[in-house]
Amino acid sequence: MQSSHLLLEEPIRMVSILDPSKPSFFPAMTKIVGTLGPKSRSVDVISDCLKAGMSVARFDFSWGDPEYHQHTLENLKAAIKATKKLCSVMLDTVGAELQVVNKSEKPISLEVDSQVVLTPHKGQEASSQILPINFDGLAKSVKKGDTIFVGQYLFTGSESTSVWLQVAEVKEQDVICTIKNSATLAGSLFTLHASQVHIDLPTLSEKDKEVIRTWGVKNKIDFLSLSYTRHAEDVRQAREFLSKLGDLSQTQIFAKIENAEGLTHFDEILQEADGIILSRGNLGIDLPPEKVFFFQKSALRKCNMAGKPAVLTRVVDSMTDNLRPTRAEATDVANAVLDGSDAILLGAETLRGLYPVETITTVGRICFEAEKVFNQDLYFKKIVRYVGEPMSHLESIASSAVRAAIKVKASVIICFTSSGRAARLIAKYRPTMPVLSVVIPQLKTDQLQWRFSGAFEDQLPTHLWESLFTASARQSLIVRGLFPMLADPRHPAESTSATNESILKLALDHGKASGIIKSHDRVVVCQKVGDASVVKIIELED
């Protein structure tokens, strides 16, 4: 442990997510978001998840209190320190989620063709006849014939753990439903989803705001997953809220699309958000099964063209209880990669699943195989055509770097950046080789001590080494093919040629130690020299 001012006196250093002890560190360029919970919150399990390929940790506040999640986060920090593998933090809000509370936690058996009443009287005990819910406006929102789904955490479609209800009658604040399949609901909390029905609840609830103001600010979160985003205004309001919380001004907002209403306004939401999460749990219920694939492919393509990260959920549900995915799930993961996903988000599979580490490993291997057959040439042409002419200066440099790397069969692209924008633009063109983003942190001084600007600032004398990574570095951990390194902040990327060569040598040494760069390989470097941006090709010697 060293204080920040002592660290600055050391020779130029870099820290990275590369692990020199494992030459095959890059199992895939598609990133994996893991939800931490009961089965994945110990230091040992989190360490194994990081080693398996998890680069973003998701904290789902639809269950568990802040103290519970704080303990998990402290374990994550310990695991990061032990493994020297970076991981960013995502806070997932509750939003306009309807929930059934089962205080007794006794299993509830529901029989087909029987009736059950959904009531806002939360004080009642849940039973086979009555399910108390957290929303008193359901009776005003639904009508006879509407479909409602109830399941643990998220509706899975399994007839044994989730139930399909049809509204038979609305009586004052109660909604009387006919049960369409027999099921047993187990646990303390169930999610309720009314298909294609507008729910008059705020996207960012007061409870969400309080969690962000306290837990989010304290931990300087990298990403806010905005559940049930339905309009661009939802994102704008969340952005305004974050901007008033100084430490979270750089936090990225990922709009979580969970229903038909969000899809209807997808284009405007995409313009406002930093990234998109296609939450197929609820989305797959709102849409007819035969339409799901179309909206998935369309949404992913729009994200790709805009150069904004796209995250896909619910791909290996069966691995919650099984060591291997089904053949259909394995194909689903591969198709997500081929369709252009930046990351795969694992929910119940790592939260409460029996095999969190094995699930991350399996998904990573499938992604790796799919990336081998990804048609980069066709993708590149589509992006260039979409961007059009004249290109912006940065866009031109990014596309040229990728084109050059592919033409000379470079093993890696190295990009010097401070904001991360240039590196993200390069990754937008989906090069077939990894992009090592050499992040140059900006420094501020208060005359007492040096400190790094960006989220996760930590001015404690003995802060954790991973806290030094700027927001732009950690936020690249959700972008496909982008892997950050941190250069010595005393040497900005546009400084002297000698300094640039020194930093470049360290980046190359990292690549060699990781097994992604070998003797006689070609490397493409993108950097600023004065006011100009330069793309150069280096052929390595022995």
Side-chain angles (χ1 to χ4, degrees):
M1 299 288 186
Q2 298 174 343
S3 64
S4 54
H5 69 276
L6 285 178
L7 185 74
L8 295 175
E9 295 169 1
E10 294 180 349
I12 298 172
R13 306 176 6 149
M14 287 188 187
V15 286
S16 165
I17 60 171
L18 306 179
D19 183 356
S21 67
K22 295 188 177 180
S24 60
F25 177 82
F26 289 92
M29 295 206 286
T30 304
K31 304 300 178 64
I32 297 177
V33 181
T35 305
L36 301 185
K39 297 293 185 181
S40 55
R41 65 191 303 254
S42 70
V43 175
D44 288 345
V45 173
I46 296 175
S47 296
D48 288 342
C49 288
L50 293 173
K51 292 174 185 176
M54 180 182 77
S55 62
V56 181
R58 172 176 171 255
F59 293 81
D60 184 0
F61 275 81
S62 63
W63 68 275
D65 57 35
E67 291 75 21
Y68 182 92
H69 289 300
Q70 187 63 43
H71 184 225
T72 305
L73 181 55
E74 295 305 322
N75 286 347
L76 170 65
K77 291 179 181 179
I80 290 172
K81 184 182 178 186
T83 62
K84 296 295 188 291
K85 291 188 180 297
L86 301 180
C87 188
S88 52
V89 173
M90 175 183 286
L91 189 160
D92 200 314
T93 64
V94 178
E97 180 172 278
L98 304 186
Q99 297 175 336
V100 177
V101 179
N102 178 22
K103 292 182 178 180
S104 70
E105 299 192 28
K106 294 179 181 176
I108 300 171
S109 296
L110 300 172
E111 297 296 327
V112 65
D113 294 331
S114 300
Q115 287 194 328
V116 66
V117 178
L118 304 177
T119 179
H121 303 297
K122 295 185 284 292
Q124 296 194 41
E125 283 289 331
S127 69
S128 300
Q129 292 76 43
I130 293 180
L131 296 177
I133 63 175
N134 67 337
F135 178 50
D136 58 11
L138 185 63
K140 296 177 182 178
S141 303
V142 299
K143 63 184 183 302
K144 183 177 179 178
D146 281 346
T147 301
I148 296 175
F149 298 91
V150 180
Q152 188 180 32
Y153 296 95
L154 285 173
F155 180 78
T156 64
S158 167
E159 290 189 354
S160 62
T161 60
S162 304
V163 65
W164 167 27
L165 308 174
Q166 191 168 53
V167 177
E169 182 184 357
V170 176
K171 194 172 182 180
E172 296 181 350
Q173 288 189 309
D174 292 344
V175 178
I176 303 168
C177 301
T178 301
I179 301 168
K180 305 302 289 185
N181 67 283
S182 296
T184 298
L185 301 178
S188 60
L189 186 69
F190 317 122
T191 296
L192 182 148
H193 182 83
S195 181
Q196 299 194 26
V197 172
H198 174 75
I199 300 300
D200 191 18
L201 283 172
T203 301
L204 200 60
S205 68
E206 289 304 316
K207 180 181 177 182
D208 289 329
K209 290 180 179 179
E210 181 59 25
V211 166
I212 295 168
R213 270 193 295 261
T214 55
W215 195 91
V217 170
K218 176 183 178 180
N219 297 298
K220 301 179 178 64
I221 56 172
D222 301 300
F223 304 106
L224 180 71
S225 170
L226 191 61
S227 296
Y228 293 92
T229 303
R230 293 164 285 186
H231 300 272
E233 184 60 26
D234 296 336
V235 182
R236 285 191 286 268
Q237 289 178 2
R239 182 97 58 202
E240 183 181 358
F241 176 71
L242 291 179
S243 70
K244 296 175 182 176
L245 305 173
D247 285 336
L248 298 190
S249 59
Q250 297 182 68
T251 296
Q252 290 190 351
I253 298 175
F254 273 55
K256 203 172 175 187
I257 307 299
E258 307 200 48
N259 53 30
E261 195 173 358
L263 277 180
T264 300
H265 302 100
F266 185 85
D267 290 350
E268 63 187 60
I269 291 171
L270 179 59
Q271 284 186 335
E272 292 292 334
D274 296 300
I276 296 290
I277 298 175
L278 284 178
S279 183
R280 300 191 308 170
N282 288 340
L283 193 58
I285 299 168
D286 245 20
L287 298 175
E290 66 274 16
K291 298 287 187 182
V292 174
F293 83 94
F294 174 77
F295 284 105
Q296 174 179 316
K297 288 177 179 290
S298 175
L300 290 177
R301 181 183 182 278
K302 289 178 178 180
C303 290
N304 293 162
M305 296 300 109
K308 293 188 177 181
V311 183
L312 206 65
T313 74
R314 305 304 297 275
V315 290
V316 285
D317 286 345
S318 72
M319 290 196 74
T320 303
D321 301 306
N322 298 287
L323 194 53
R324 289 170 60 89
T326 65
R327 292 179 292 276
E329 288 173 332
T331 303
D332 196 22
V333 174
N335 280 329
V337 174
L338 298 178
D339 288 345
S341 293
D342 283 83
I344 300 295
L345 191 156
L346 301 173
E349 302 97 323
T350 54
L351 173 82
R352 59 186 175 88
L354 302 178
Y355 308 102
V357 178
E358 292 84 354
T359 301
I360 292 170
T361 300
T362 300
V363 169
R365 286 173 177 166
I366 298 170
C367 290
F368 176 73
E369 292 299 323
E371 288 161 6
K372 287 181 181 178
V373 295
F374 180 74
N375 192 333
Q376 199 280 336
D377 183 58
L378 178 61
Y379 180 91
F380 187 92
K381 289 176 181 176
K382 284 181 179 179
I383 288 276
V384 170
R385 193 180 309 121
Y386 178 84
V387 172
E389 296 179 353
M391 280 185 172
S392 69
H393 176 73
L394 263 182
E395 195 93 44
S396 176
I397 291 294
S399 59
S400 297
V402 174
R403 184 185 285 111
I406 291 171
K407 291 291 185 183
V408 303
K409 293 183 168 52
S411 57
V412 69
I413 299 174
I414 297 176
C415 177
F416 289 23
T417 181
S418 57
S419 68
R421 186 182 171 204
R424 287 193 297 272
L425 272 177
I426 291 174
K428 168 184 171 180
Y429 286 87
R430 294 287 191 262
T432 54
M433 66 290 296
V435 180
L436 301 188
S437 174
V438 182
V439 180
I440 314 296
Q442 299 171 345
L443 281 177
K444 299 176 182 177
T445 180
D446 55 9
Q447 297 182 336
L448 296 176
Q449 60 179 325
W450 290 96
R451 62 188 175 92
F452 290 82
S453 66
F456 266 140
E457 293 168 348
D458 192 339
Q459 299 184 52
L460 295 175
T462 55
H463 59 276
L464 295 175
W465 66 271
E466 72 274 6
S467 299
L468 301 179
F469 264 78
T470 65
S472 62
R474 290 190 313 279
Q475 287 163 350
S476 68
L477 292 169
I478 204 169
V479 180
R480 180 159 154 183
L482 195 52
F483 300 89
M485 298 177 174
L486 186 67
D488 190 319
R490 295 173 302 174
H491 303 290
E494 62 271 15
S495 61
T496 67
S497 175
T499 299
N500 283 339
E501 291 303 315
S502 176
I503 297 176
L504 176 59
K505 182 179 183 303
L506 288 170
L508 292 171
D509 288 344
H510 254 302
K512 290 175 182 176
S514 307
I516 59 170
I517 300 176
K518 302 182 294 296
S519 297
H520 305 296
D521 275 359
R522 290 172 176 171
V523 174
V524 168
V525 180
C526 181
Q527 66 186 109
K528 285 194 74 174
V529 178
D531 293 330
S533 296
V534 176
V535 174
K536 62 183 179 182
I537 301 167
I538 298 173
E539 186 158 352
L540 302 180
E541 300 176 352
D542 289 333

